[in-house]
């Protein structure tokens, strides 16, 4: 079953702008992961943030996690046309034996 | 990083035939592999968890007799769609996990199945 709810469902921005997307979930988690998927392709792992972490950076990506609100955000700074993709959050609930539960995803389009 | 391959990338078959999809971890040994299904513009739905040397664990609502999973080695898992029908047409993605249950999963590029 899907646990994550992502917001917005779609996002259209210009190159150079920042893109922010949010993910909410319902159960206690061990970690939360963000993935990118280009159209018709597999998923690329972006960042894993554990339940005891609040913020993590990787290049132009910044992920926050608020376990009290059961929410996470992914910020892409200075976006590029190559960032055009679908972005999914996936939680690993503490009782799931490591199974990922994916959100519905945010489709991001970056226009030059 | 860890690389996972899938074969074939695309397959078209006639209704009633069976199709086998392979998932391989190329540069690491994966004790656990996962099979997902994705409909157009939708999220991934976990179908089953595959552990090397043991029977796969299927998610609720997934027919184990229709979607046969074999995890014969630490680098190979196969998904066989038996007696395929048009409603089985979908994008199938596998992933492999290195190490403990809370570690990240590495995804294959996916297989597009079209059943005529």
């Amino acid at each position: 079953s899907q646990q994550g709810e992502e917001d917005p469902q779609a996002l259209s921005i210009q190159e150079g702008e920042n893109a922010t997307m949010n993910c909410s979930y319902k159960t206690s988690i061990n970690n939360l992961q963000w993935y990118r998927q280009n159209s018709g392709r597999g998923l690329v792992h972006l960042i894993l943030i554990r339940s005891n972490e609040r913020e993590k950076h990787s290049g132009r990506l910044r992920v926050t996690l608020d376990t009290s609100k059961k929410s996470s955000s992914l910020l892409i700074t200075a976006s590029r046309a190559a960032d055009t993709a679908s972005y999914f959050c996936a939680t690993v609930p503490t009782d799931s034996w490591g199974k990922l539960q994916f959100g519905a995803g945010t489709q991001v389009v970056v226009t030059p | 990083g860890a690389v996972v391959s899938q074969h074939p990338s695309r397959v078209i078959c006639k209704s009633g035939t069976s199709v086998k999809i392979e998932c391989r971890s190329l540069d690491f040994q994966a004790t656990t592999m996962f099979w997902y299904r994705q409909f157009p513009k939708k999220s991934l739905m976990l179908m089953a968890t595959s552990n090397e040397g043991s029977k796969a664990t299927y998610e609720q609502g997934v027919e184990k007799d229709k979607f046969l999973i074999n995890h014969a080695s630490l680098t190979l898992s196969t998904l066989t769609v038996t007696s395929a029908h048009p409603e089985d047409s979908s994008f199938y993605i596998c992933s492999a996990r290195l190490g403990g249950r809370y570690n990240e999963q590495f995804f294959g590029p996916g297989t597009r199945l079209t059943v005529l």
Side-chain angles (χ1 to χ4, degrees):
Chain A
S1 63
Q2 300 297 328
Q3 172 166 231
E5 297 284 336
E6 294 189 57
D7 167 52
Q9 290 186 338
L11 184 59
S12 185
I13 56 174
Q14 301 273 352
E15 255 189 338
E17 293 180 339
N18 295 343
T20 300
M21 58 211 87
N22 303 295
C23 169
S24 60
Y25 57 92
K26 296 175 183 171
T27 65
S28 175
I29 63 170
N30 175 276
N31 66 71
L32 184 147
Q33 302 175 35
W34 285 91
Y35 289 84
R36 184 185 75 213
Q37 184 181 35
N38 289 82
S39 182
R41 302 293 186 92
L43 274 68
V44 173
H45 186 267
L46 298 176
I47 287 185
L48 183 155
I49 186 165
R50 301 192 188 281
S51 60
N52 61 352
E53 297 176 308
R54 291 296 167 258
E55 189 171 310
K56 219 165 179 181
H57 297 253
S58 176
R60 294 183 295 111
L61 305 179
R62 173 176 166 253
V63 167
T64 63
L65 178 65
D66 186 335
T67 53
S68 66
K69 295 181 180 178
K70 291 186 167 57
S71 68
S72 173
S73 69
L74 170 65
L75 167 68
I76 305 172
T77 60
S79 62
R80 305 166 182 168
D83 295 328
T84 294
S86 291
Y87 292 82
F88 293 93
C89 72
T91 56
V92 179
T94 50
D95 61 349
S96 69
W97 292 95
K99 295 180 187 179
L100 290 172
Q101 294 190 352
F102 281 87
T106 296
Q107 290 189 315
V108 175
V109 174
V110 183
T111 52
Chain B
V3 179
V4 175
S5 70
Q6 273 183 250
H7 178 80
S9 58
R10 288 178 179 271
V11 57
I12 301 172
C13 70
K14 293 182 178 179
S15 190
T17 60
S18 294
V19 174
K20 180 185 283 189
I21 302 170
E22 291 187 348
C23 176
R24 292 180 185 272
S25 56
L26 298 184
D27 50 2
F28 68 100
Q29 292 185 326
T31 51
T32 305
M33 290 184 171
F34 302 85
W35 286 95
Y36 297 84
R37 184 173 180 177
Q38 186 179 32
F39 291 101
K41 298 190 183 299
K42 296 291 184 182
S43 189
L44 279 75
M45 181 189 77
L46 178 64
M47 298 175 67
T49 302
S50 168
N51 290 296
E52 186 264 339
S54 61
K55 289 184 179 179
T57 304
Y58 290 81
E59 294 299 299
Q60 195 171 6
V62 177
E63 298 176 61
K64 57 183 69 178
D65 293 332
K66 179 155 192 69
F67 298 100
L68 299 179
I69 291 171
N70 184 276
H71 193 157
S73 76
L74 286 171
T75 59
L76 173 65
S77 176
T78 60
L79 167 68
T80 301
V81 183
T82 62
S83 187
H85 287 94
E87 57 266 30
D88 299 324
S89 298
S90 193
F91 193 57
Y92 293 88
I93 307 178
C94 72
S95 70
R97 187 172 64 204
L98 173 62
R101 60 176 166 160
Y102 294 131
N103 286 5
E104 66 186 274
Q105 295 179 24
F106 298 94
F107 283 78
T111 296
R112 173 76 58 194
L113 170 63
T114 302
V115 184
L116 303 176

